[in-house]
Amino acid sequence: MDKDFYERIFDVVRLIPKGKVTTYGHIARCLGSGRSSRLVGYAMNLSHRQDPLIPAHRVVNRKGLLTGKMHFNDPNEMQRLLEDEGILVKGDQIVNFQDHLWDPAVLADEL
DNA sequence: CTCTTGACTGGTT
DNA sequence: GAACCAGCCAAGA
C-alpha cells in the first residue's frame, strides 16, 4: 500500500454506507494512526477536488456536529444530503448520532 | 530546519 | 454535561 495518506482516507469515506455516518477518529483509528484524526479532516478539505466525489457529509466529529459543513460549496447542502439519507440534523447536530454511527471496523468484519 | 495552522480527540475541572 | 487544556500528525510558508 504505497497510497498517499489521503487516498486511504478517501477510500474509507467512500465505503461509508448510505444513511450512515462516521467520525474522523474512527477513520483515523482504522488507518492505524489513531491520533491523526485532524489529518482526516484536513484530507476532507481536499476531498472536493477528488474526481470520485467523496461523501464528506457522512463524516462528522465525535459529537455528531457538522463541523465541516462550512467548508462545503454550500453549507446547507451537507445537512440536506444527510436528511436525504434519513439522518435528522438539528442545529448542525445529528439526532440519534450514535444510532447512525458506522464504524469502519465493521467493514473488515463483513469482508 | 522551524513555526503556524487545521472539517479532531481524550482527559480534567 | 459543558468548557478548557494538551497531545498528535501532516502540509505549507
Side-chain angles (χ1 to χ4, degrees), chain A residues 15-40:
Chain A
L15 292 171
I16 301 175
K18 182 183 177 185
K20 294 282 182 175
V21 292
T22 189
T23 70
Y24 305 94
H26 278 110
I27 296 173
R29 189 175 282 276
C30 188
L31 295 176
S33 301
R35 306 262 154 80
S36 56
S37 41
R38 312 180 76 159
L39 284 310
V40 180

mmCIF file with all atom_site columns, all heavy atoms in Angstrom, chain A residues 15-40:
data_model
loop_
_atom_site.group_PDB
_atom_site.id
_atom_site.type_symbol
_atom_site.label_atom_id
_atom_site.label_alt_id
_atom_site.label_comp_id
_atom_site.label_asym_id
_atom_site.label_entity_id
_atom_site.label_seq_id
_atom_site.pdbx_PDB_ins_code
_atom_site.Cartn_x
_atom_site.Cartn_y
_atom_site.Cartn_z
_atom_site.occupancy
_atom_site.B_iso_or_equiv
_atom_site.pdbx_formal_charge
_atom_site.auth_seq_id
_atom_site.auth_comp_id
_atom_site.auth_asym_id
_atom_site.auth_atom_id
_atom_site.pdbx_PDB_model_num
ATOM 1   N N   . LEU A 1 15 ? -16.459 4.156  1.324  1.00 0.00 ? 15 LEU A N   1
ATOM 2   C CA  . LEU A 1 15 ? -17.083 2.888  1.726  1.00 0.00 ? 15 LEU A CA  1
ATOM 3   C C   . LEU A 1 15 ? -18.168 3.072  2.766  1.00 0.00 ? 15 LEU A C   1
ATOM 4   O O   . LEU A 1 15 ? -18.821 2.115  3.159  1.00 0.00 ? 15 LEU A O   1
ATOM 5   C CB  . LEU A 1 15 ? -16.000 1.954  2.282  1.00 0.00 ? 15 LEU A CB  1
ATOM 6   C CG  . LEU A 1 15 ? -15.002 1.483  1.207  1.00 0.00 ? 15 LEU A CG  1
ATOM 7   C CD1 . LEU A 1 15 ? -13.845 0.741  1.861  1.00 0.00 ? 15 LEU A CD1 1
ATOM 8   C CD2 . LEU A 1 15 ? -15.689 0.610  0.173  1.00 0.00 ? 15 LEU A CD2 1
ATOM 9   N N   . ILE A 1 16 ? -18.360 4.303  3.226  1.00 0.00 ? 16 ILE A N   1
ATOM 10  C CA  . ILE A 1 16 ? -19.404 4.540  4.221  1.00 0.00 ? 16 ILE A CA  1
ATOM 11  C C   . ILE A 1 16 ? -20.774 4.279  3.603  1.00 0.00 ? 16 ILE A C   1
ATOM 12  O O   . ILE A 1 16 ? -21.112 4.893  2.608  1.00 0.00 ? 16 ILE A O   1
ATOM 13  C CB  . ILE A 1 16 ? -19.343 5.990  4.743  1.00 0.00 ? 16 ILE A CB  1
ATOM 14  C CG1 . ILE A 1 16 ? -17.978 6.261  5.378  1.00 0.00 ? 16 ILE A CG1 1
ATOM 15  C CG2 . ILE A 1 16 ? -20.462 6.232  5.749  1.00 0.00 ? 16 ILE A CG2 1
ATOM 16  C CD1 . ILE A 1 16 ? -17.815 7.708  5.807  1.00 0.00 ? 16 ILE A CD1 1
ATOM 17  N N   . PRO A 1 17 ? -21.534 3.363  4.202  1.00 0.00 ? 17 PRO A N   1
ATOM 18  C CA  . PRO A 1 17 ? -22.875 3.016  3.679  1.00 0.00 ? 17 PRO A CA  1
ATOM 19  C C   . PRO A 1 17 ? -23.804 4.218  3.708  1.00 0.00 ? 17 PRO A C   1
ATOM 20  O O   . PRO A 1 17 ? -23.668 5.101  4.562  1.00 0.00 ? 17 PRO A O   1
ATOM 21  C CB  . PRO A 1 17 ? -23.368 1.933  4.651  1.00 0.00 ? 17 PRO A CB  1
ATOM 22  C CG  . PRO A 1 17 ? -22.157 1.462  5.400  1.00 0.00 ? 17 PRO A CG  1
ATOM 23  C CD  . PRO A 1 17 ? -21.210 2.616  5.425  1.00 0.00 ? 17 PRO A CD  1
ATOM 24  N N   . LYS A 1 18 ? -24.733 4.254  2.788  1.00 0.00 ? 18 LYS A N   1
ATOM 25  C CA  . LYS A 1 18 ? -25.704 5.349  2.750  1.00 0.00 ? 18 LYS A CA  1
ATOM 26  C C   . LYS A 1 18 ? -26.570 5.322  4.010  1.00 0.00 ? 18 LYS A C   1
ATOM 27  O O   . LYS A 1 18 ? -26.968 4.255  4.460  1.00 0.00 ? 18 LYS A O   1
ATOM 28  C CB  . LYS A 1 18 ? -26.577 5.229  1.505  1.00 0.00 ? 18 LYS A CB  1
ATOM 29  C CG  . LYS A 1 18 ? -27.564 6.353  1.389  1.00 0.00 ? 18 LYS A CG  1
ATOM 30  C CD  . LYS A 1 18 ? -28.455 6.133  0.171  1.00 0.00 ? 18 LYS A CD  1
ATOM 31  C CE  . LYS A 1 18 ? -29.503 7.242  0.092  1.00 0.00 ? 18 LYS A CE  1
ATOM 32  N NZ  . LYS A 1 18 ? -30.440 7.022  -0.987 1.00 0.00 ? 18 LYS A NZ  1
ATOM 33  N N   . GLY A 1 19 ? -26.836 6.473  4.535  1.00 0.00 ? 19 GLY A N   1
ATOM 34  C CA  . GLY A 1 19 ? -27.652 6.556  5.740  1.00 0.00 ? 19 GLY A CA  1
ATOM 35  C C   . GLY A 1 19 ? -26.840 6.334  7.006  1.00 0.00 ? 19 GLY A C   1
ATOM 36  O O   . GLY A 1 19 ? -27.377 6.252  8.093  1.00 0.00 ? 19 GLY A O   1
ATOM 37  N N   . LYS A 1 20 ? -25.521 6.203  6.826  1.00 0.00 ? 20 LYS A N   1
ATOM 38  C CA  . LYS A 1 20 ? -24.661 6.019  7.987  1.00 0.00 ? 20 LYS A CA  1
ATOM 39  C C   . LYS A 1 20 ? -23.632 7.147  8.038  1.00 0.00 ? 20 LYS A C   1
ATOM 40  O O   . LYS A 1 20 ? -23.311 7.769  7.040  1.00 0.00 ? 20 LYS A O   1
ATOM 41  C CB  . LYS A 1 20 ? -23.944 4.675  7.902  1.00 0.00 ? 20 LYS A CB  1
ATOM 42  C CG  . LYS A 1 20 ? -24.895 3.500  7.993  1.00 0.00 ? 20 LYS A CG  1
ATOM 43  C CD  . LYS A 1 20 ? -25.316 3.250  9.426  1.00 0.00 ? 20 LYS A CD  1
ATOM 44  C CE  . LYS A 1 20 ? -26.226 2.036  9.507  1.00 0.00 ? 20 LYS A CE  1
ATOM 45  N NZ  . LYS A 1 20 ? -26.555 1.702  10.876 1.00 0.00 ? 20 LYS A NZ  1
ATOM 46  N N   . VAL A 1 21 ? -23.100 7.368  9.233  1.00 0.00 ? 21 VAL A N   1
ATOM 47  C CA  . VAL A 1 21 ? -22.077 8.398  9.390  1.00 0.00 ? 21 VAL A CA  1
ATOM 48  C C   . VAL A 1 21 ? -20.941 7.850  10.249 1.00 0.00 ? 21 VAL A C   1
ATOM 49  O O   . VAL A 1 21 ? -21.115 6.873  10.970 1.00 0.00 ? 21 VAL A O   1
ATOM 50  C CB  . VAL A 1 21 ? -22.656 9.661  10.049 1.00 0.00 ? 21 VAL A CB  1
ATOM 51  C CG1 . VAL A 1 21 ? -23.637 10.345 9.127  1.00 0.00 ? 21 VAL A CG1 1
ATOM 52  C CG2 . VAL A 1 21 ? -23.284 9.309  11.374 1.00 0.00 ? 21 VAL A CG2 1
ATOM 53  N N   . THR A 1 22 ? -19.811 8.467  10.167 1.00 0.00 ? 22 THR A N   1
ATOM 54  C CA  . THR A 1 22 ? -18.682 8.048  10.982 1.00 0.00 ? 22 THR A CA  1
ATOM 55  C C   . THR A 1 22 ? -17.906 9.277  11.437 1.00 0.00 ? 22 THR A C   1
ATOM 56  O O   . THR A 1 22 ? -18.129 10.369 10.959 1.00 0.00 ? 22 THR A O   1
ATOM 57  C CB  . THR A 1 22 ? -17.765 7.098  10.200 1.00 0.00 ? 22 THR A CB  1
ATOM 58  O OG1 . THR A 1 22 ? -16.810 6.548  11.073 1.00 0.00 ? 22 THR A OG1 1
ATOM 59  C CG2 . THR A 1 22 ? -17.093 7.813  9.065  1.00 0.00 ? 22 THR A CG2 1
ATOM 60  N N   . THR A 1 23 ? -16.982 9.074  12.320 1.00 0.00 ? 23 THR A N   1
ATOM 61  C CA  . THR A 1 23 ? -16.223 10.202 12.845 1.00 0.00 ? 23 THR A CA  1
ATOM 62  C C   . THR A 1 23 ? -14.788 10.153 12.336 1.00 0.00 ? 23 THR A C   1
ATOM 63  O O   . THR A 1 23 ? -14.321 9.129  11.853 1.00 0.00 ? 23 THR A O   1
ATOM 64  C CB  . THR A 1 23 ? -16.202 10.160 14.385 1.00 0.00 ? 23 THR A CB  1
ATOM 65  O OG1 . THR A 1 23 ? -15.399 9.064  14.811 1.00 0.00 ? 23 THR A OG1 1
ATOM 66  C CG2 . THR A 1 23 ? -17.598 10.006 14.940 1.00 0.00 ? 23 THR A CG2 1
ATOM 67  N N   . TYR A 1 24 ? -14.126 11.275 12.418 1.00 0.00 ? 24 TYR A N   1
ATOM 68  C CA  . TYR A 1 24 ? -12.732 11.370 11.971 1.00 0.00 ? 24 TYR A CA  1
ATOM 69  C C   . TYR A 1 24 ? -11.865 10.399 12.776 1.00 0.00 ? 24 TYR A C   1
ATOM 70  O O   . TYR A 1 24 ? -10.984 9.747  12.238 1.00 0.00 ? 24 TYR A O   1
ATOM 71  C CB  . TYR A 1 24 ? -12.225 12.801 12.158 1.00 0.00 ? 24 TYR A CB  1
ATOM 72  C CG  . TYR A 1 24 ? -13.097 13.828 11.480 1.00 0.00 ? 24 TYR A CG  1
ATOM 73  C CD1 . TYR A 1 24 ? -14.115 14.485 12.175 1.00 0.00 ? 24 TYR A CD1 1
ATOM 74  C CD2 . TYR A 1 24 ? -12.915 14.128 10.146 1.00 0.00 ? 24 TYR A CD2 1
ATOM 75  C CE1 . TYR A 1 24 ? -14.916 15.420 11.550 1.00 0.00 ? 24 TYR A CE1 1
ATOM 76  C CE2 . TYR A 1 24 ? -13.712 15.060 9.509  1.00 0.00 ? 24 TYR A CE2 1
ATOM 77  C CZ  . TYR A 1 24 ? -14.713 15.708 10.216 1.00 0.00 ? 24 TYR A CZ  1
ATOM 78  O OH  . TYR A 1 24 ? -15.511 16.617 9.603  1.00 0.00 ? 24 TYR A OH  1
ATOM 79  N N   . GLY A 1 25 ? -12.166 10.314 14.040 1.00 0.00 ? 25 GLY A N   1
ATOM 80  C CA  . GLY A 1 25 ? -11.371 9.456  14.914 1.00 0.00 ? 25 GLY A CA  1
ATOM 81  C C   . GLY A 1 25 ? -11.465 7.998  14.521 1.00 0.00 ? 25 GLY A C   1
ATOM 82  O O   . GLY A 1 25 ? -10.462 7.293  14.502 1.00 0.00 ? 25 GLY A O   1
ATOM 83  N N   . HIS A 1 26 ? -12.667 7.535  14.183 1.00 0.00 ? 26 HIS A N   1
ATOM 84  C CA  . HIS A 1 26 ? -12.840 6.138  13.811 1.00 0.00 ? 26 HIS A CA  1
ATOM 85  C C   . HIS A 1 26 ? -12.060 5.822  12.543 1.00 0.00 ? 26 HIS A C   1
ATOM 86  O O   . HIS A 1 26 ? -11.431 4.780  12.431 1.00 0.00 ? 26 HIS A O   1
ATOM 87  C CB  . HIS A 1 26 ? -14.324 5.827  13.625 1.00 0.00 ? 26 HIS A CB  1
ATOM 88  C CG  . HIS A 1 26 ? -15.034 5.556  14.914 1.00 0.00 ? 26 HIS A CG  1
ATOM 89  N ND1 . HIS A 1 26 ? -15.963 6.425  15.445 1.00 0.00 ? 26 HIS A ND1 1
ATOM 90  C CD2 . HIS A 1 26 ? -14.925 4.540  15.778 1.00 0.00 ? 26 HIS A CD2 1
ATOM 91  C CE1 . HIS A 1 26 ? -16.412 5.921  16.590 1.00 0.00 ? 26 HIS A CE1 1
ATOM 92  N NE2 . HIS A 1 26 ? -15.802 4.786  16.821 1.00 0.00 ? 26 HIS A NE2 1
ATOM 93  N N   . ILE A 1 27 ? -12.129 6.731  11.587 1.00 0.00 ? 27 ILE A N   1
ATOM 94  C CA  . ILE A 1 27 ? -11.395 6.537  10.338 1.00 0.00 ? 27 ILE A CA  1
ATOM 95  C C   . ILE A 1 27 ? -9.894  6.510  10.627 1.00 0.00 ? 27 ILE A C   1
ATOM 96  O O   . ILE A 1 27 ? -9.174  5.635  10.158 1.00 0.00 ? 27 ILE A O   1
ATOM 97  C CB  . ILE A 1 27 ? -11.713 7.673  9.349  1.00 0.00 ? 27 ILE A CB  1
ATOM 98  C CG1 . ILE A 1 27 ? -13.193 7.624  8.966  1.00 0.00 ? 27 ILE A CG1 1
ATOM 99  C CG2 . ILE A 1 27 ? -10.831 7.555  8.116  1.00 0.00 ? 27 ILE A CG2 1
ATOM 100 C CD1 . ILE A 1 27 ? -13.632 8.807  8.129  1.00 0.00 ? 27 ILE A CD1 1
ATOM 101 N N   . ALA A 1 28 ? -9.455  7.470  11.403 1.00 0.00 ? 28 ALA A N   1
ATOM 102 C CA  . ALA A 1 28 ? -8.026  7.546  11.736 1.00 0.00 ? 28 ALA A CA  1
ATOM 103 C C   . ALA A 1 28 ? -7.582  6.274  12.440 1.00 0.00 ? 28 ALA A C   1
ATOM 104 O O   . ALA A 1 28 ? -6.530  5.708  12.138 1.00 0.00 ? 28 ALA A O   1
ATOM 105 C CB  . ALA A 1 28 ? -7.777  8.766  12.620 1.00 0.00 ? 28 ALA A CB  1
ATOM 106 N N   . ARG A 1 29 ? -8.405  5.821  13.356 1.00 0.00 ? 29 ARG A N   1
ATOM 107 C CA  . ARG A 1 29 ? -8.067  4.613  14.099 1.00 0.00 ? 29 ARG A CA  1
ATOM 108 C C   . ARG A 1 29 ? -8.016  3.405  13.170 1.00 0.00 ? 29 ARG A C   1
ATOM 109 O O   . ARG A 1 29 ? -7.188  2.514  13.324 1.00 0.00 ? 29 ARG A O   1
ATOM 110 C CB  . ARG A 1 29 ? -9.117  4.383  15.196 1.00 0.00 ? 29 ARG A CB  1
ATOM 111 C CG  . ARG A 1 29 ? -8.722  3.281  16.155 1.00 0.00 ? 29 ARG A CG  1
ATOM 112 C CD  . ARG A 1 29 ? -9.734  3.171  17.282 1.00 0.00 ? 29 ARG A CD  1
ATOM 113 N NE  . ARG A 1 29 ? -9.562  4.210  18.294 1.00 0.00 ? 29 ARG A NE  1
ATOM 114 C CZ  . ARG A 1 29 ? -8.697  4.113  19.309 1.00 0.00 ? 29 ARG A CZ  1
ATOM 115 N NH1 . ARG A 1 29 ? -7.951  3.066  19.427 1.00 0.00 ? 29 ARG A NH1 1
ATOM 116 N NH2 . ARG A 1 29 ? -8.587  5.082  20.181 1.00 0.00 ? 29 ARG A NH2 1
ATOM 117 N N   . CYS A 1 30 ? -8.910  3.380  12.200 1.00 0.00 ? 30 CYS A N   1
ATOM 118 C CA  . CYS A 1 30 ? -8.945  2.275  11.254 1.00 0.00 ? 30 CYS A CA  1
ATOM 119 C C   . CYS A 1 30 ? -7.661  2.252  10.424 1.00 0.00 ? 30 CYS A C   1
ATOM 120 O O   . CYS A 1 30 ? -7.169  1.198  10.052 1.00 0.00 ? 30 CYS A O   1
ATOM 121 C CB  . CYS A 1 30 ? -10.152 2.427  10.338 1.00 0.00 ? 30 CYS A CB  1
ATOM 122 S SG  . CYS A 1 30 ? -10.425 1.001  9.275  1.00 0.00 ? 30 CYS A SG  1
ATOM 123 N N   . LEU A 1 31 ? -7.140  3.426  10.137 1.00 0.00 ? 31 LEU A N   1
ATOM 124 C CA  . LEU A 1 31 ? -5.896  3.515  9.370  1.00 0.00 ? 31 LEU A CA  1
ATOM 125 C C   . LEU A 1 31 ? -4.705  3.118  10.218 1.00 0.00 ? 31 LEU A C   1
ATOM 126 O O   . LEU A 1 31 ? -3.659  2.776  9.694  1.00 0.00 ? 31 LEU A O   1
ATOM 127 C CB  . LEU A 1 31 ? -5.709  4.955  8.863  1.00 0.00 ? 31 LEU A CB  1
ATOM 128 C CG  . LEU A 1 31 ? -6.791  5.375  7.860  1.00 0.00 ? 31 LEU A CG  1
ATOM 129 C CD1 . LEU A 1 31 ? -6.586  6.844  7.486  1.00 0.00 ? 31 LEU A CD1 1
ATOM 130 C CD2 . LEU A 1 31 ? -6.727  4.511  6.614  1.00 0.00 ? 31 LEU A CD2 1
ATOM 131 N N   . GLY A 1 32 ? -4.860  3.190  11.530 1.00 0.00 ? 32 GLY A N   1
ATOM 132 C CA  . GLY A 1 32 ? -3.781  2.772  12.411 1.00 0.00 ? 32 GLY A CA  1
ATOM 133 C C   . GLY A 1 32 ? -3.158  3.923  13.166 1.00 0.00 ? 32 GLY A C   1
ATOM 134 O O   . GLY A 1 32 ? -2.634  3.738  14.254 1.00 0.00 ? 32 GLY A O   1
ATOM 135 N N   . SER A 1 33 ? -3.219  5.106  12.587 1.00 0.00 ? 33 SER A N   1
ATOM 136 C CA  . SER A 1 33 ? -2.613  6.252  13.254 1.00 0.00 ? 33 SER A CA  1
ATOM 137 C C   . SER A 1 33 ? -3.342  6.565  14.555 1.00 0.00 ? 33 SER A C   1
ATOM 138 O O   . SER A 1 33 ? -2.742  6.836  15.556 1.00 0.00 ? 33 SER A O   1
ATOM 139 C CB  . SER A 1 33 ? -2.656  7.464  12.330 1.00 0.00 ? 33 SER A CB  1
ATOM 140 O OG  . SER A 1 33 ? -1.948  7.142  11.151 1.00 0.00 ? 33 SER A OG  1
ATOM 141 N N   . GLY A 1 34 ? -4.656  6.511  14.512 1.00 0.00 ? 34 GLY A N   1
ATOM 142 C CA  . GLY A 1 34 ? -5.435  6.713  15.711 1.00 0.00 ? 34 GLY A CA  1
ATOM 143 C C   . GLY A 1 34 ? -5.547  8.173  16.097 1.00 0.00 ? 34 GLY A C   1
ATOM 144 O O   . GLY A 1 34 ? -6.628  8.702  16.243 1.00 0.00 ? 34 GLY A O   1
ATOM 145 N N   . ARG A 1 35 ? -4.398  8.789  16.283 1.00 0.00 ? 35 ARG A N   1
ATOM 146 C CA  . ARG A 1 35 ? -4.424  10.189 16.742 1.00 0.00 ? 35 ARG A CA  1
ATOM 147 C C   . ARG A 1 35 ? -4.359  11.179 15.588 1.00 0.00 ? 35 ARG A C   1
ATOM 148 O O   . ARG A 1 35 ? -4.238  12.369 15.801 1.00 0.00 ? 35 ARG A O   1
ATOM 149 C CB  . ARG A 1 35 ? -3.241  10.412 17.666 1.00 0.00 ? 35 ARG A CB  1
ATOM 150 C CG  . ARG A 1 35 ? -3.221  9.398  18.813 1.00 0.00 ? 35 ARG A CG  1
ATOM 151 C CD  . ARG A 1 35 ? -3.820  10.016 20.034 1.00 0.00 ? 35 ARG A CD  1
ATOM 152 N NE  . ARG A 1 35 ? -4.392  9.041  20.930 1.00 0.00 ? 35 ARG A NE  1
ATOM 153 C CZ  . ARG A 1 35 ? -3.679  8.319  21.773 1.00 0.00 ? 35 ARG A CZ  1
ATOM 154 N NH1 . ARG A 1 35 ? -2.381  8.375  21.773 1.00 0.00 ? 35 ARG A NH1 1
ATOM 155 N NH2 . ARG A 1 35 ? -4.293  7.549  22.618 1.00 0.00 ? 35 ARG A NH2 1
ATOM 156 N N   . SER A 1 36 ? -4.391  10.654 14.368 1.00 0.00 ? 36 SER A N   1
ATOM 157 C CA  . SER A 1 36 ? -4.272  11.545 13.210 1.00 0.00 ? 36 SER A CA  1
ATOM 158 C C   . SER A 1 36 ? -5.638  11.993 12.716 1.00 0.00 ? 36 SER A C   1
ATOM 159 O O   . SER A 1 36 ? -5.832  12.220 11.539 1.00 0.00 ? 36 SER A O   1
ATOM 160 C CB  . SER A 1 36 ? -3.517  10.840 12.092 1.00 0.00 ? 36 SER A CB  1
ATOM 161 O OG  . SER A 1 36 ? -4.153  9.622  11.777 1.00 0.00 ? 36 SER A OG  1
ATOM 162 N N   . SER A 1 37 ? -6.582  12.076 13.639 1.00 0.00 ? 37 SER A N   1
ATOM 163 C CA  . SER A 1 37 ? -7.938  12.456 13.265 1.00 0.00 ? 37 SER A CA  1
ATOM 164 C C   . SER A 1 37 ? -7.961  13.810 12.556 1.00 0.00 ? 37 SER A C   1
ATOM 165 O O   . SER A 1 37 ? -8.750  14.029 11.666 1.00 0.00 ? 37 SER A O   1
ATOM 166 C CB  . SER A 1 37 ? -8.806  12.524 14.507 1.00 0.00 ? 37 SER A CB  1
ATOM 167 O OG  . SER A 1 37 ? -8.089  13.130 15.553 1.00 0.00 ? 37 SER A OG  1
ATOM 168 N N   . ARG A 1 38 ? -7.050  14.683 12.943 1.00 0.00 ? 38 ARG A N   1
ATOM 169 C CA  . ARG A 1 38 ? -7.005  16.018 12.322 1.00 0.00 ? 38 ARG A CA  1
ATOM 170 C C   . ARG A 1 38 ? -6.660  15.889 10.858 1.00 0.00 ? 38 ARG A C   1
ATOM 171 O O   . ARG A 1 38 ? -7.124  16.658 10.028 1.00 0.00 ? 38 ARG A O   1
ATOM 172 C CB  . ARG A 1 38 ? -5.975  16.880 13.029 1.00 0.00 ? 38 ARG A CB  1
ATOM 173 C CG  . ARG A 1 38 ? -6.128  16.822 14.531 1.00 0.00 ? 38 ARG A CG  1
ATOM 174 C CD  . ARG A 1 38 ? -5.093  17.681 15.186 1.00 0.00 ? 38 ARG A CD  1
ATOM 175 N NE  . ARG A 1 38 ? -5.472  19.078 15.063 1.00 0.00 ? 38 ARG A NE  1
ATOM 176 C CZ  . ARG A 1 38 ? -5.013  20.027 15.858 1.00 0.00 ? 38 ARG A CZ  1
ATOM 177 N NH1 . ARG A 1 38 ? -4.150  19.743 16.783 1.00 0.00 ? 38 ARG A NH1 1
ATOM 178 N NH2 . ARG A 1 38 ? -5.387  21.254 15.714 1.00 0.00 ? 38 ARG A NH2 1
ATOM 179 N N   . LEU A 1 39 ? -5.808  14.919 10.533 1.00 0.00 ? 39 LEU A N   1
ATOM 180 C CA  . LEU A 1 39 ? -5.407  14.733 9.145  1.00 0.00 ? 39 LEU A CA  1
ATOM 181 C C   . LEU A 1 39 ? -6.587  14.295 8.302  1.00 0.00 ? 39 LEU A C   1
ATOM 182 O O   . LEU A 1 39 ? -6.706  14.660 7.138  1.00 0.00 ? 39 LEU A O   1
ATOM 183 C CB  . LEU A 1 39 ? -4.300  13.690 9.050  1.00 0.00 ? 39 LEU A CB  1
ATOM 184 C CG  . LEU A 1 39 ? -2.921  14.173 9.469  1.00 0.00 ? 39 LEU A CG  1
ATOM 185 C CD1 . LEU A 1 39 ? -2.593  15.491 8.766  1.00 0.00 ? 39 LEU A CD1 1
ATOM 186 C CD2 . LEU A 1 39 ? -2.859  14.381 10.970 1.00 0.00 ? 39 LEU A CD2 1
ATOM 187 N N   . VAL A 1 40 ? -7.489  13.510 8.925  1.00 0.00 ? 40 VAL A N   1
ATOM 188 C CA  . VAL A 1 40 ? -8.686  13.073 8.216  1.00 0.00 ? 40 VAL A CA  1
ATOM 189 C C   . VAL A 1 40 ? -9.493  14.295 7.789  1.00 0.00 ? 40 VAL A C   1
ATOM 190 O O   . VAL A 1 40 ? -9.896  14.413 6.634  1.00 0.00 ? 40 VAL A O   1
ATOM 191 C CB  . VAL A 1 40 ? -9.540  12.150 9.093  1.00 0.00 ? 40 VAL A CB  1
ATOM 192 C CG1 . VAL A 1 40 ? -10.791 11.703 8.358  1.00 0.00 ? 40 VAL A CG1 1
ATOM 193 C CG2 . VAL A 1 40 ? -8.725  10.940 9.533  1.00 0.00 ? 40 VAL A CG2 1
#
